[in-house]
Amino acid sequence: MNALAIFRIAARALFRNKGRSLLTALGIIIGIAAVIAVVAVGQGAAVTMQTQISSMGNNLAMVFPGSMHMGGFRGGAGTRHTLTADDGEAILRESPYAVAVTPVVRSGAQVIYRENDWATSIQGVGVSYPEVRSWSMKEGDFFTESEVRSGSRVGVLGATVAEQLFAGEDPVGKSIRIRNMSFRVLGVLARKGSAAWGQDQDDMIVIPWTTARRVLENSPFSHVNQLLISLTSMDDLPQAREDISNILRQRHRLAAGADDDFTVTDMTEVTQMITQVSSLMSMLLTVIASISLIVGGIGIMNIMLVSVTERTREIGLRMAVGARRRDILMQFVVEAITLAGAGGILGIILGIVVAKGVAGANNWPVVVSPGAVLLALSFSAGIGIFFGFYPAWRASRLNPIESLRHE
Amino acid sequence: MLIRLQQISKTYRVGEIDIPALRAIDLEIARGEFLAIMGASGSGKSTLLNLLGCLDRPTGGTYELDGQEISRLSGDALAHIRNRKIGFVFQNFNLLTRTTALENVELPLYYGPWLSTSAKQKKATELLVRLGLGDRLHHHPSQLSGGQQQRVAIARALVNEPPLILADEPTGNLDSRSGDEIMALFHELNAAGITLIMVTHEPDIAGHAHRIIHMKDGAVL
Ligand SMILES: Nc1ncnc2c1ncn2[C@@H]1O[C@H](COP(=O)(O)OP(=O)(O)OP(=O)(O)O)[C@@H](O)[C@H]1O
Ligand SMILES: [Mg+2]
């Protein structure tokens, strides 16, 4: 008997008991759907995270004031006045790994244009900011070195702010008011989208850091909240961090053995943490899915045993007209594979639907890898073989005479 | 000789007790014969027919079918012989329910040499038409009368063109008119050269055969 004929007979036998077949396959359907959904959402989330993290900037390293101690920020990183824009200049000058550096002075304010107002964050930065964050201009220009040196009241708007304040009007050249001071809008940044943690990166205004510190904050100091450093390559990260640390320790005249009064960090730590959490989640779901698959397999075995009993006379008849034991064995194994395989296919479809739903709610892409689909299919077929073999073997061992007499 | 039985015995063992169902049977059946086996219930008629049909092996003696000694053949070899050389007709028809007459007749073809789907259908259709069921090809057994069901079963037995047909009380579930129709069909097949062996309780059915043997307590009288 050829394979196609066996498959057709199996498919027909299963189709005769549609409801029962579907219920039997449910365990497989759920198990496979869970695996497919987890893998698809997981890979989609990973891709999103990668793009979001690379959207943070070009091979980005960050320096905060204050030290990271015993895994946490001691005294609150960013609150101390230990980091200056000159530190950034020095890193750019002395470290071969630094390509561009910008200080960041963070602030926030209500911004007003005519009758429109909008509360947003104000970032005081240097001229290298667009390069460091690989962020292009949508229109207009970024401010210049001389505007930074003189602390000019100029600014560049994030796309969200431009929309909120100007609602379609061209902002370039217009005057906006920040804390009752007039600022001239030089340009608008291209839209960047939300960051890995969901914050809208376009909801901000960038102004020269000097302006932010001296004019907005009315402070005589030149300390900054953060230095953003663009490195030559992420591969150089360990040496680059070492190098930056040494430069800063020297500049801050820290004695050997004293704690750093700054923290150098980068996105790989964030990535690692998120990866860890998500791989733990997928492991958990994989365990649940495996249990579901095993339960589904046992269900298939059970229904196949019932089916063999119900069809004892059919088996006897097939033997009487020339079926060999292995023909009967094959027929029932193929039936189990077909049942599990159909469950697998339905599970894949259900899994993709679920993944699309979950991903759609979170704005993630869904990555359904052909590898995962293939694996799911062969796995469900494997379940069919494993759990279908015993009932099929029982069928093949039946005595034809007794089977033909079976009621 | 198509069939030669020498000292064939069959003993069933149930627990500690031996039940001799067949005792040292010697029997020869020529090609083209139409033979009826009669005897009381439990005399071993079905047991003998099952041995002749290669569904079972004897516990003693030799069985030669079509020049081939078969009492020691493997299960697969017996299946092959059943497929090519023997057609079975049962008292209760043994048709697959929820399967059309055509598909029932095609069944033995699945276990024979490869044939295309259309070739299988053609063969089965021709046979059913010959047996007067041309308008019942796609009916399920439950939609057919007893006589029609038995004719489908006979078509199934014939589809691989075997030289031998074995029938265990083929008219047992039929009224006398349908029984006569089946007998007329058997005469036709026999005239075409097929050897027929039939177990029956009914003397007038047995009367259709050319030779009648009687069994008692596992022996041929
Ligand atoms: N599988 C079996 N196990 C044990 N004993 C059996 C088995 N099959 C048949 N027998 C016994 O063998 C003997 C012959 O049985 P068989 O079925 O051949 O009788 P029969 O002549 O066909 O009877 P009937 O006319 O009622 O069909 C009986 O005594 C029966 O009980
Ligand atoms: Mg009997």
Side-chain angles (χ1 to χ4, degrees):
Chain A
M1 207 160 41
N2 71 350
L4 191 68
I6 302 179
F7 171 74
R8 277 225 300 272
I9 289 171
R12 193 162 336 141
L14 294 172
F15 209 69
R16 257 182 225 138
N17 288 309
K18 282 189 254 354
R20 187 166 92 177
S21 301
L22 192 70
L23 286 176
T24 305
L26 210 56
I28 305 280
I29 294 174
I30 292 171
I32 293 289
V35 174
I36 291 288
V38 166
V39 172
V41 171
Q43 289 189 345
V47 166
T48 311
M49 226 173 59
Q50 280 313 316
T51 52
Q52 279 172 341
I53 281 165
S54 64
S55 87
M56 285 293 299
N58 266 332
N59 304 332
L60 200 64
M62 292 163 281
V63 184
F64 295 96
S67 82
M68 183 129 83
H69 194 72
M70 310 278 284
F73 290 110
R74 197 181 58 177
T79 58
R80 296 225 204 141
H81 298 183
T82 51
L83 205 59
T84 63
D86 290 342
D87 286 334
E89 297 289 319
I91 289 166
L92 185 61
R93 216 169 36 238
E94 292 168 29
S95 173
Y97 301 108
V99 176
V101 178
T102 176
V104 177
V105 174
R106 258 189 256 105
S107 183
Q110 198 79 8
V111 186
I112 300 167
Y113 173 69
R114 293 197 180 145
E115 67 277 15
N116 297 337
D117 66 323
W118 183 250
T120 188
S121 86
I122 313 279
Q123 308 257 356
V125 302
V127 287
S128 300
Y129 186 79
E131 182 190 349
V132 172
R133 296 218 48 199
S134 61
W135 205 337
S136 57
M137 298 296 295
K138 186 175 148 225
E139 49 190 319
D141 299 303
F142 208 73
F143 42 75
T144 61
E145 189 60 55
S146 73
E147 280 163 327
V148 172
R149 232 178 291 123
S150 62
S152 303
R153 290 194 214 160
V154 291
V156 173
L157 306 183
T160 305
V161 176
E163 265 164 38
Q164 293 297 335
L165 287 184
F166 288 90
E169 215 179 309
D170 182 8
V172 178
K174 304 277 160 48
S175 262
I176 54 173
R177 298 190 73 78
I178 305 175
R179 293 201 188 148
N180 265 331
M181 283 173 279
S182 168
F183 279 72
R184 190 159 48 86
V185 177
L186 296 177
V188 179
L189 288 164
R191 182 168 289 285
K192 195 149 200 161
S194 49
W197 41 88
Q199 165 211 33
D200 180 5
Q201 299 186 83
D202 301 304
D203 187 4
M204 62 149 194
I205 296 175
V206 283
I207 60 175
W209 70 271
T210 44
T211 319
R213 180 57 77 220
R214 297 190 191 122
V215 179
L216 220 53
E217 306 264 294
N218 200 12
S219 157
F221 304 112
S222 59
H223 61 271
V224 298
N225 297 107
Q226 195 182 6
L227 292 172
L228 294 179
I229 304 162
S230 187
L231 301 177
T232 43
S233 149
M234 266 316 177
D235 301 335
D236 298 332
L237 196 72
Q239 303 95 292
R241 283 176 69 155
E242 182 78 35
D243 205 32
I244 291 166
S245 277
N246 287 339
I247 293 166
L248 290 178
R249 285 185 71 87
Q250 212 167 17
R251 283 183 56 82
H252 296 182
R253 295 180 214 292
L254 297 175
D259 284 344
D260 287 347
D261 60 356
F262 56 87
T263 306
V264 185
T265 178
D266 62 85
M267 294 315 291
T268 52
E269 279 161 24
V270 182
T271 318
Q272 270 166 11
M273 201 184 70
I274 299 176
T275 312
Q276 259 173 25
V277 170
S278 72
S279 74
L280 195 75
M281 286 288 291
S282 3
M283 235 162 69
L284 207 73
L285 271 153
T286 307
V287 169
I288 295 168
S290 314
I291 293 170
S292 174
L293 286 175
I294 289 170
V295 171
I298 293 170
I300 284 181
M301 177 143 98
N302 181 40
I303 219 69
M304 290 308 294
L305 284 171
V306 170
S307 174
V308 167
T309 308
E310 278 177 354
R311 288 154 68 193
T312 300
R313 272 222 293 172
E314 174 189 331
I315 294 163
L317 180 76
R318 286 181 184 276
M319 287 175 165
V321 300
R324 295 163 300 177
R325 296 205 180 283
R326 82 178 86 119
D327 292 324
I328 301 294
L329 184 84
M330 274 302 282
Q331 181 185 336
F332 282 90
V333 168
V334 167
E335 204 169 304
I337 294 173
T338 308
L339 185 56
I345 290 169
L346 287 179
I348 289 167
I349 294 168
L350 182 68
I352 291 171
V353 169
V354 168
K356 287 220 151 73
V358 170
N362 289 293
N363 277 322
W364 288 330
V366 176
V367 182
V368 181
S369 66
V373 169
L374 216 67
L375 196 75
L377 264 184
S378 36
F379 200 78
S380 42
I383 285 174
I385 294 173
F386 186 82
F387 289 98
F389 191 85
Y390 174 65
W393 181 82
R394 286 252 303 236
S396 77
R397 305 313 297 175
L398 286 174
N399 176 308
I401 298 170
E402 279 163 26
S403 304
L404 281 166
R405 269 204 295 255
H406 191 266
E407 278 318 304
Chain B
M1 283 300 137
L2 179 66
I3 288 170
R4 183 175 279 128
L5 299 184
Q6 283 177 321
Q7 295 294 301
I8 282 287
S9 64
K10 177 76 187 179
T11 307
Y12 290 109
R13 200 182 171 87
V14 180
E16 294 291 285
I17 309 157
D18 280 344
I19 299 170
L22 296 178
R23 306 167 200 255
I25 289 182
D26 289 312
L27 183 64
E28 291 193 341
I29 301 168
R31 222 172 272 277
E33 261 199 85
F34 185 175
L35 179 81
I37 305 174
M38 296 194 73
S41 185
S43 56
K45 304 183 296 294
S46 296
T47 307
L48 177 61
L49 208 67
N50 288 336
L51 278 180
L52 291 174
C54 301
L55 283 169
D56 210 351
R57 288 196 190 84
T59 37
T62 57
Y63 170 22
E64 211 176 276
L65 171 66
D66 210 3
Q68 190 180 13
E69 166 57 44
I70 61 159
S71 45
R72 305 280 175 278
L73 286 183
S74 71
D76 281 3
L78 290 180
H80 183 80
I81 290 172
R82 290 197 296 271
N83 184 249
R84 304 298 158 80
K85 299 202 168 161
I86 300 166
F88 288 94
V89 179
F90 306 92
Q91 178 175 356
N92 58 4
F93 323 132
N94 270 324
L95 297 175
L96 298 188
T97 53
R98 289 196 273 184
T99 305
T100 64
L102 192 63
E103 289 164 337
N104 266 289
V105 175
E106 284 174 13
L107 193 66
L109 298 175
Y110 281 96
Y111 302 104
W114 186 86
L115 279 178
S116 70
T117 308
S118 59
K120 283 197 229 66
Q121 265 178 16
K122 187 162 167 276
K123 240 180 148 165
T125 306
E126 277 170 7
L127 212 45
L128 282 166
V129 169
R130 227 176 84 201
L131 299 195
L133 290 165
D135 54 347
R136 293 282 188 275
L137 298 180
H138 302 290
H139 286 59
H140 287 184
S142 59
Q143 299 165 322
L144 297 171
S145 74
Q148 288 169 334
Q149 289 187 54
Q150 194 61 300
R151 272 187 283 158
V152 172
I154 291 169
R156 181 181 63 197
L158 291 172
V159 75
N160 267 332
E161 297 160 34
L164 177 63
I165 298 273
L166 302 176
D168 198 344
E169 304 192 33
T171 59
N173 284 11
L174 302 177
D175 60 28
S176 61
R177 227 195 86 209
S178 306
D180 288 343
E181 279 172 21
I182 297 298
M183 283 308 110
L185 183 54
F186 274 16
H187 279 297
E188 231 179 274
L189 298 177
N190 187 233
I194 293 174
T195 308
L196 279 161
I197 304 174
M198 162 176 87
V199 168
T200 183
H201 277 120
E202 303 161 69
D204 43 334
I205 291 293
H208 285 277
H210 303 153
R211 175 154 74 115
I212 303 177
I213 61 170
H214 292 271
M215 291 188 71
K216 189 167 185 266
D217 296 334
V220 176
L221 295 180

